[in-house]
Amino acid sequence: MLAQPELQLARGEVQGQTRILQNLIPPTVSYSTEGNVLLIGPEDLTRLAAGQLADMAGRAILANGAITNQDESYLEQVMEAAPEVESYYGKLLGIKGFLGQYQVSVDHNGQAAELSKVALRKAHFDIVLDMSPEPCIQLEMLPPGYFYVGEDSDKLAAALEEIPQLVGQFDKPRYVKVNSDICAHSRNGLEGCTRCLNFCPADAIKSVEQAIEIDPYLCHGAGSCTNACPTGALSYDLPTPQSLHSYLNKLINRYRDKTSVAPVILFHDANQGAGLINESLAGQVLPVELEEITVAGIDHWMTALAWGAQQVLVLNTSATAPTLTQMLNGEIALANTLLEQIGQPARIQLIDEKALANLSPILEESTAWPTTVAAEFAVTTKRNGFYAAVDYLNEQAANTQEELALSNIPYGEVSVKETGCTLCMSCVATCPTQALLDGGDKPALYFVEQDCVQCGLCEAACPEKVISLSPRINLDKESRQARKTLKEEAPFECIRCGAPFATQSMVHRMLEMVGTHSAFSANIERLKMCGDCRVKDMFEDILEDPEKQLR
């Protein structure tokens, strides 16, 4: 193995040659602000802060706490600070919005009122400085233009320095794209997958009229939604999933070609994590910078290993939202459980700042692991990339064909009770990934397990309630990719013309349900006819006895 200085030099050369392809003109959203600030908190603290924001276009105070210091000289200082700024004491009813568009509702004389209209005669506040004991907006990732400082003097100083700069127009990328055509959230009025809704730390994702919508003004680009999405309907745009896959492939292969060493991929965020990466990092560790560490998901981790990385590390810092950490722990546990099942070491690890400062034990352990021969597959979709990597890693190790049953995962099979299914194809109509397929001219229902995301839409759509889901990862590649027959039967042929027009089970079900009803009992045989013959039979009946319909 090359010495560390040589490995570090090789890393620098490879990273210099390899770039993530980015959209040269990324879609953006714009914030427009005039500089109208609302300060919330104890009146003395907010008034002193307002005095340091004298150059802002407008200021108002919403006092929601007792004076923090009763010292006379202090109170004089407070009274002299920003005397022109009015204080309001109404109870805060709600606050929502983002930089340039904050709507603050308060109790004003017993009625709900927009404080910006009362205080500044403006439609909204542009910026909110919150000095309350607890934040008025309870989110892990706060909206742009909202500064929660509490009683932290350092945070207050930083906010007072930044706020005057937030006047004008500012652009921000639209981090995430939505492809509703393959979204498994809803079909035909039924609710299915809700994974993305469970993991947004900024509350930027909503289900609006049964469609997933992302508020680009609130989105921080955490990437948790794209990570959680099983179909790829939500995809990151900076970089795109395909660009990140391509970058990892080139980075790993070029490094291996140059050094004959299997590298360790280290994902880190662009802010706090980037500040912890320096030249002392071991030469076999290739840092990959992302907007947030959840931008890369299990498909990226697995493909990196299949393409020849020895290990994947994800650097978690104190800046990572707890929801994102929870998600990463779950996904990494799933990935390592899967690796163990196929005879591979636990090659994926979430590390903290302390572990980063002393990577030697982690790196020494991984040197004892077998090195993977680099795979050559290309990634077309998120799901196919994941399974291609798993299958390849499986072939390199245990080559098992077992089924790994786990709960709450977007992989698995669909089962149908033979006796109850009428082949109505309601399940096929709702399936967003075409995991369920009809038989065309033949009455049949087919299933491809690799395409199933366990969204539950088919189960909800089935009028006979004969569909059930079983989450699992099937490591038998041939079985998982095969088109399985869930139900098939001969068509029911019209008793008059002989043409097939429905399934046997559907006609028999109709006969059971309505055949004994008085409206059909006299013409029960018509239920066994195709549409054309049924009409002919009705007219012939009328011609034979025109007054029959009146009796």
Side-chain angles (χ1 to χ4, degrees):
M1 182 173 174
L2 298 176
Q4 278 298 321
E6 294 171 300
L7 291 175
Q8 289 169 335
L9 179 62
R11 177 179 65 201
E13 291 177 2
V14 168
Q15 288 182 318
Q17 297 167 358
T18 314
R19 292 284 183 269
I20 297 180
L21 293 177
Q22 300 278 20
N23 188 344
L24 296 178
I25 311 178
T28 60
V29 293
S30 295
Y31 301 95
S32 182
T33 78
E34 296 176 354
N36 296 305
V37 185
L38 173 65
L39 300 95
I40 307 176
E43 186 170 7
D44 56 325
L45 300 180
T46 50
R47 187 160 293 282
L48 289 172
Q52 298 183 63
L53 294 172
D55 292 334
M56 301 306 291
R59 294 164 293 165
I61 291 173
L62 178 59
N64 69 352
I67 300 293
T68 62
N69 189 335
Q70 297 295 332
D71 180 77
E72 254 185 67
S73 60
Y74 173 77
L75 291 176
E76 280 185 23
Q77 181 186 355
V78 170
M79 287 175 21
E80 292 172 1
E84 72 282 8
V85 178
E86 278 198 67
S87 294
Y88 295 85
Y89 303 92
K91 180 183 176 182
L92 177 65
L93 301 178
I95 177 169
K96 61 181 180 180
F98 45 83
L99 180 64
Q101 292 287 336
Y102 278 104
Q103 305 290 326
V104 180
S105 177
V106 296
D107 184 334
H108 183 63
N109 297 328
Q111 293 186 332
E114 292 293 330
L115 184 57
S116 60
K117 296 178 181 178
V118 174
L120 302 178
R121 298 192 180 183
K122 296 285 185 180
H124 47 73
F125 291 106
D126 298 314
I127 301 161
V128 175
L129 176 61
D130 189 353
M131 304 176 71
S132 309
E134 296 292 331
C136 296
I137 297 180
Q138 295 286 339
L139 291 174
E140 293 175 7
M141 286 187 165
L142 296 168
Y146 178 89
F147 296 84
Y148 177 69
V149 301
E151 296 183 13
D152 189 316
S153 57
D154 290 336
K155 288 184 178 179
L156 175 60
L160 292 174
E161 183 178 347
E162 185 177 349
I163 286 173
Q165 301 172 36
L166 295 179
V167 179
Q169 184 164 311
F170 306 90
D171 292 335
K172 187 193 78 172
R174 286 179 178 263
Y175 291 106
V176 177
K177 294 188 296 187
V178 182
N179 180 356
S180 298
D181 291 341
I182 59 173
C183 180
H185 174 59
S186 176
R187 282 287 193 282
N188 301 333
L190 301 171
E191 183 180 282
C193 176
T194 59
R195 291 178 180 273
C196 61
L197 295 169
N198 299 331
F199 287 105
C200 181
D203 199 26
I205 305 178
K206 302 288 184 187
S207 175
V208 180
E209 295 182 356
Q210 297 185 319
I212 292 297
E213 290 187 5
I214 295 178
D215 188 333
Y217 294 95
L218 296 178
C219 176
H220 282 258
S224 52
C225 57
T226 65
N227 197 316
C229 179
T231 65
L234 299 186
S235 61
Y236 210 77
D237 204 36
L238 292 168
T240 64
Q242 292 77 13
S243 295
L244 183 53
H245 277 299
S246 177
Y247 173 75
L248 290 171
N249 190 332
K250 292 176 183 177
L251 187 69
I252 294 166
N253 283 319
R254 287 172 180 173
Y255 184 85
R256 286 182 59 136
D257 289 345
K258 199 168 192 65
T259 65
S260 298
V261 172
V264 173
I265 297 297
L266 172 63
F267 291 111
H268 65 86
D269 69 86
N271 295 316
Q272 191 166 327
L276 299 172
I277 306 298
N278 54 51
E279 291 301 318
S280 66
L281 189 67
Q284 68 268 42
V285 180
L286 305 183
V288 177
E289 182 177 302
L290 305 169
E291 185 75 20
E292 295 284 349
I293 50 177
T294 38
V295 170
I298 193 170
D299 54 318
H300 295 102
W301 306 335
M302 289 297 194
T303 53
L305 295 176
W307 286 326
Q310 187 74 350
Q311 189 175 18
V312 171
L313 303 177
V314 183
L315 176 58
N316 195 26
T317 70
S318 58
T320 304
T323 294
L324 303 187
T325 301
Q326 175 191 355
M327 177 184 194
L328 284 169
N329 280 324
E331 287 293 283
I332 289 175
L334 170 62
N336 284 327
T337 299
L338 183 53
L339 288 170
E340 181 182 0
Q341 188 77 11
I342 62 178
Q344 293 275 359
R347 295 181 182 267
I348 305 169
Q349 188 172 341
L350 187 67
I351 64 170
D352 57 18
E353 299 174 37
K354 185 178 179 181
L356 177 67
N358 184 24
L359 275 180
S360 298
I362 295 174
L363 299 179
E364 286 173 10
E365 182 186 10
S366 69
T367 57
W369 298 342
T371 300
T372 302
V373 178
E376 296 183 356
F377 64 83
V379 174
T380 53
T381 67
K382 175 178 182 175
R383 198 168 192 81
N384 287 344
F386 166 77
Y387 273 124
V390 169
D391 290 337
Y392 183 80
L393 292 169
N394 188 17
E395 291 166 6
Q396 296 292 304
N399 201 22
T400 180
Q401 296 183 341
E402 295 181 6
E403 298 162 0
L404 184 60
L406 296 167
S407 61
N408 195 32
I409 59 172
Y411 317 96
E413 67 171 340
V414 168
S415 301
V416 174
K417 294 179 183 177
E418 280 264 351
T419 53
C421 177
T422 62
L423 291 174
C424 68
M425 299 303 160
S426 295
C427 54
V428 173
T430 59
C431 181
T433 61
Q434 295 186 317
L436 289 167
L437 304 163
D438 64 37
D441 294 334
K442 179 180 179 182
L445 176 63
Y446 302 122
F447 173 64
V448 180
E449 183 171 349
Q450 179 155 313
D451 296 330
C452 178
V453 297
Q454 296 284 291
C455 64
L457 283 169
C458 57
E459 187 177 27
C462 179
E464 313 301 339
K465 304 304 176 187
V466 295
I467 291 180
S468 59
L469 307 179
S470 301
R472 69 178 190 180
I473 295 180
N474 184 357
L475 295 170
D476 184 345
K477 177 181 176 181
E478 185 176 338
S479 166
R480 191 185 67 241
Q481 294 180 344
R483 191 183 73 171
K484 302 174 186 175
T485 302
L486 298 184
K487 175 75 183 286
E488 66 179 347
E489 59 185 45
F492 190 95
E493 296 176 350
C494 175
I495 59 173
R496 178 166 173 159
C497 70
F501 72 95
T503 65
Q504 295 272 351
S505 55
M506 187 172 288
V507 172
H508 293 152
R509 186 58 185 258
M510 283 194 301
L511 291 171
E512 289 173 7
M513 293 179 66
V514 302
T516 57
H517 193 280
S518 58
F520 297 92
S521 57
N523 301 291
I524 189 68
E525 294 302 301
R526 284 182 186 157
L527 293 176
K528 302 176 185 179
M529 299 179 189
C530 66
D532 289 343
C533 290
R534 195 175 301 130
V535 172
K536 290 177 183 177
D537 189 67
M538 289 172 62
F539 275 100
E540 288 173 357
D541 205 19
I542 293 171
L543 290 174
E544 288 179 9
D545 185 0
E547 295 182 3
K548 182 179 180 180
Q549 303 299 316
L550 302 175
R551 293 198 292 268

